[in-house]
């Protein structure tokens, strides 16, 4: 267990309620139950342990890695199962939670909440969770949050300090691509475009036909503003090295390369993104979900458009194509189960474990029932590959599935 997380328990700071969105800690008693009620089995990846929740069903989770370490904290969104790292410690994640409303760009929500998820009950000086987080961060972090620092300076300084780098870079990429009057633009498009093209046009404003552009101008929308795909690429590109298993940075870099006419780089970026789980693509916030009618992943839809041979030559990439979501999920899951069988026969239990994880959470499965046997196999493969911490977490998710749904 990381020193930071150990202190979270030992200092009993988890007994306090914070002022941020993720202000409700899970008690050790809950987590030590055989089937903790905070775990969302099947929907939540089976190496996630929830630590703090908001009032809407979303969680900050610790992600247990193959060595049993508990360093990475991810934000998990219940509305689709998407997740993104918020820090390499719980203290980083709490700092990021405290500054999300101060970062450049649009709101960071997947959807409009039904209630205020961040009630104002006092400043950072009275937030016990944030005060604890400051104790585990450089003093400069506290200074930044307690001074009137501009959005861009705040983001830049936190990046220099290495605090919540992946999450901040995602916000910056979104900022560079989001129209300053996003709500006005979206409202105007709602009145003049079909629902299936609006996300595509908001994703890349240059895709809006000239006739519609003039109508938008007539409604007072600034259509001289340009998206900065070059800056979005610069924000995303370091994440391809920091966390190559995340899909969204590959998608951003691929499309930026495609726009500048560098088809080889675009294809290589998309190839990498195609191997990442759809639950890491931030598709609703980045608006890449407009391609989902053509393929399970944005990267594969783009590859199919300008490099179809690369897709055709890959048995895996072919499973991701087609308009029928259910068929795609079934084909992808079966592909990974086939790969798992090969590794099982070779006694390569580490690769077997990875393939079983992919069969469940590459693009998901159709029914909650399907997760029951998968979780059992994942737990056993983790034991066989000496990933004992992951084995126990997966087994706990399995017990939650049984207790919650009788499966």
């Amino acid at each position: 267990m990381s020193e930071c997380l150990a202190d979270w328990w030992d200092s009993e700071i988890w007994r306090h309620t914070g002022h941020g969105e993720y202000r409700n800690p899970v008690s050790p008693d809950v987590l030590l139950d055989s089937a903790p009620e905070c775990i969302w089995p099947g929907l939540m990846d089976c190496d996630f342990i929830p630590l703090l929740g908001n009032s809407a069903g979303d969680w900050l989770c610790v992600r247990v890695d193959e060595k049993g370490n508990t360093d990475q904290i991810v934000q998990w969104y219940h509305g689709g199962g998407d997740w993104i790292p918020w820090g390499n410690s719980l203290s980083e994640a709490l700092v990021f939670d405290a500054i999300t409303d101060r970062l450049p760009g649009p709101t960071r929500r997947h959807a409009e909440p039904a209630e205020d998820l961040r009630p104002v009950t006092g400043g950072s000086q009275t937030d016990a969770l944030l005060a604890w987080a400051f104790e585990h961060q450089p003093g400069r972090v506290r200074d930044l949050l307690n001074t009137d620092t501009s959005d861009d300076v705040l983001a830049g300084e936190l990046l220099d300090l290495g605090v919540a780098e992946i999450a901040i870079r995602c916000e910056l990429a979104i900022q560079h691509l989001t129209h300053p009057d996003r709500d006005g633009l979206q409202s105007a498009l709602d009145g003049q475009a079909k629902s299936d093209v609006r996300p595509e046009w908001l994703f890349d404003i240059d895709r809006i036909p000239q006739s519609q552009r003039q109508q938008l101008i007539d409604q007072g929308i600034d259509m001289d503003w340009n998206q900065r795909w070059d800056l979005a690429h610069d924000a995303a590109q370091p994440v391809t090295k920091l966390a190559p298993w995340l899909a969204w940075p590959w998608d951003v870099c691929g499309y930026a390369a495609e726009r500048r006419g560098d088809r080889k780089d675009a294809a290589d970026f998309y190839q990498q993104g195609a191997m990442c789980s759809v639950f890491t693509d931030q598709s609703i916030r980045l608006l890449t979900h407009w391609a989902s009618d053509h393929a399970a992943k944005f990267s594969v839809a783009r590859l199919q458009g300008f490099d179809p041979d690369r897709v055709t030559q890959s048995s895996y990439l072919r499973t991701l194509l087609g308009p029928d979501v259910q068929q795609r999920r079934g084909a992808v899951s079966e592909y990974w189960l086939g790969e798992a069988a090969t590794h099982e026969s070779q006694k390569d239990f580490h690769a077997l474990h990875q393939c079983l994880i992919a069969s469940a959470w590459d693009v998901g499965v159709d029914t909650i029932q399907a997760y029951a046997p998968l979780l059992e196999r994942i737990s056993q493969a983790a034991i066989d590959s000496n990933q004992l911490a992951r084995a126990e977490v997966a087994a706990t998710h399995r017990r939650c599935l049984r207790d919650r749904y009788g499966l």
Side-chain angles (χ1 to χ4, degrees):
M1 187 175 292
S2 67
E3 180 181 350
C4 179
L5 192 55
D7 187 60
W8 172 260
W9 305 119
D10 293 343
S11 68
E12 298 194 341
I13 193 66
W14 52 267
R15 294 186 182 275
H16 296 266
T17 299
H19 297 165
E21 177 179 346
Y22 292 91
R23 60 188 181 275
N24 301 316
V26 181
S27 76
D29 288 340
V30 170
L31 290 179
L32 289 173
D33 188 79
S34 64
E37 61 182 13
C38 55
I39 289 177
W40 292 50
L43 301 177
M44 186 178 281
D45 287 41
C46 67
D47 51 7
F48 289 1
I49 303 173
L51 298 179
L52 293 103
N54 62 11
S55 56
D58 310 318
W59 292 93
L60 291 185
C61 303
V62 61
R63 186 178 183 223
V64 181
D65 69 15
E66 63 183 35
K67 295 180 180 180
N69 295 325
T70 56
D71 295 330
Q72 190 176 83
I73 304 296
V74 303
Q75 187 252 11
W76 179 82
Y77 174 62
H78 81 283
D82 289 358
W83 60 270
I84 182 171
W86 268 23
N88 292 321
S89 67
L90 184 54
S91 61
E92 271 188 48
L94 287 171
V95 167
F96 182 76
D97 186 35
I99 55 97
T100 52
D101 290 338
R102 294 178 55 188
L103 290 175
T107 175
R108 278 144 290 282
R109 304 215 176 278
H110 295 261
E112 290 302 317
E115 59 182 295
D116 185 0
L117 299 179
R118 191 184 294 273
V120 179
T121 56
S124 62
Q125 301 293 339
T126 60
D127 188 335
L129 301 188
L130 186 57
W132 172 86
F134 285 150
E135 294 174 3
H136 294 269
Q137 291 296 311
R140 179 60 179 152
V141 173
R142 183 195 297 267
D143 295 339
L144 282 170
L145 268 66
N146 288 330
T147 56
D148 188 16
T149 308
S150 71
D151 297 350
D152 292 327
V153 169
L154 176 63
E157 294 234 20
L158 289 175
L159 286 179
D160 289 342
L161 292 167
V163 175
E165 181 172 357
I166 292 172
I168 290 175
R169 288 189 173 280
C170 185
E171 304 309 326
L172 293 177
I174 293 171
Q175 174 210 5
H176 297 313
L177 302 178
T178 303
H179 193 282
D181 184 16
R182 180 189 63 172
D183 292 341
L185 175 59
Q186 184 161 353
S187 178
L189 286 175
D190 287 345
Q192 67 179 62
K194 296 179 179 179
S195 60
D196 59 343
V197 298
R198 287 197 299 266
E200 178 181 352
W201 292 358
L202 289 168
F203 168 78
D204 182 354
I205 292 175
D206 286 347
R207 289 178 169 269
I208 301 176
Q210 186 57 42
S211 58
Q212 270 80 18
R213 292 177 72 89
Q214 187 57 53
Q215 292 181 43
L216 293 170
I217 293 171
D218 293 342
Q219 294 181 59
I221 305 298
D222 179 10
M223 296 307 294
D224 289 330
W225 177 84
N226 293 311
Q227 292 169 301
R228 294 300 305 271
W229 283 97
D230 55 336
L231 296 181
H233 169 275
D234 291 346
Q237 196 272 337
V239 184
T240 64
K241 296 179 173 60
L242 287 169
W245 55 86
L246 299 177
W248 70 263
W250 298 111
D251 291 347
V252 170
C253 290
Y255 197 78
E258 190 179 346
R259 277 180 54 93
R260 66 174 180 263
D262 192 339
R263 295 165 70 90
K264 181 184 182 305
D265 273 2
D268 290 342
F269 283 130
Y270 287 146
Q271 178 77 47
Q272 295 291 331
M275 304 308 298
C276 302
S277 167
V278 295
F279 300 106
T280 66
D281 63 12
Q282 296 293 296
S283 62
I284 301 300
R285 300 173 64 219
L286 283 163
L287 300 172
T288 52
H289 62 293
W290 62 270
S292 61
D293 287 343
H294 309 290
K297 301 181 180 182
F298 175 80
S299 52
V300 178
R302 299 311 300 162
L303 266 180
Q304 176 67 9
F306 70 86
D307 193 359
D309 288 344
R310 185 184 291 231
V311 177
T312 302
Q313 292 167 9
S314 168
S315 58
Y316 168 66
L317 295 182
R318 290 199 304 269
T319 66
L320 295 160
L321 292 174
D324 189 303
V325 174
Q326 187 172 0
Q327 285 184 358
R328 288 189 319 225
R329 285 178 176 165
V332 172
S333 187
E334 285 300 317
Y335 170 86
W336 286 116
L337 288 175
E339 292 293 295
T342 298
H343 293 300
E344 188 170 27
S345 66
Q346 298 169 348
K347 306 298 183 184
D348 186 346
F349 297 113
H350 188 274
L352 167 63
H353 180 266
Q354 291 178 310
C355 290
L356 291 172
I357 291 285
S359 72
W361 288 285
D362 187 5
V363 298
V365 297
D366 284 327
T367 65
I368 195 72
Q369 290 90 339
Y371 285 104
L374 284 174
L375 283 168
E376 291 173 5
R377 293 187 65 189
I378 288 168
S379 181
Q380 184 58 53
I383 292 173
D384 293 336
S385 58
N386 201 34
Q387 300 181 65
L388 302 185
R390 273 184 164 176
E392 180 54 36
V393 178
T396 301
H397 280 242
R398 175 66 185 94
R399 291 193 295 270
C400 289
L401 195 66
R402 179 200 64 208
D403 288 8
R404 198 82 41 83
Y405 305 109
L407 300 175

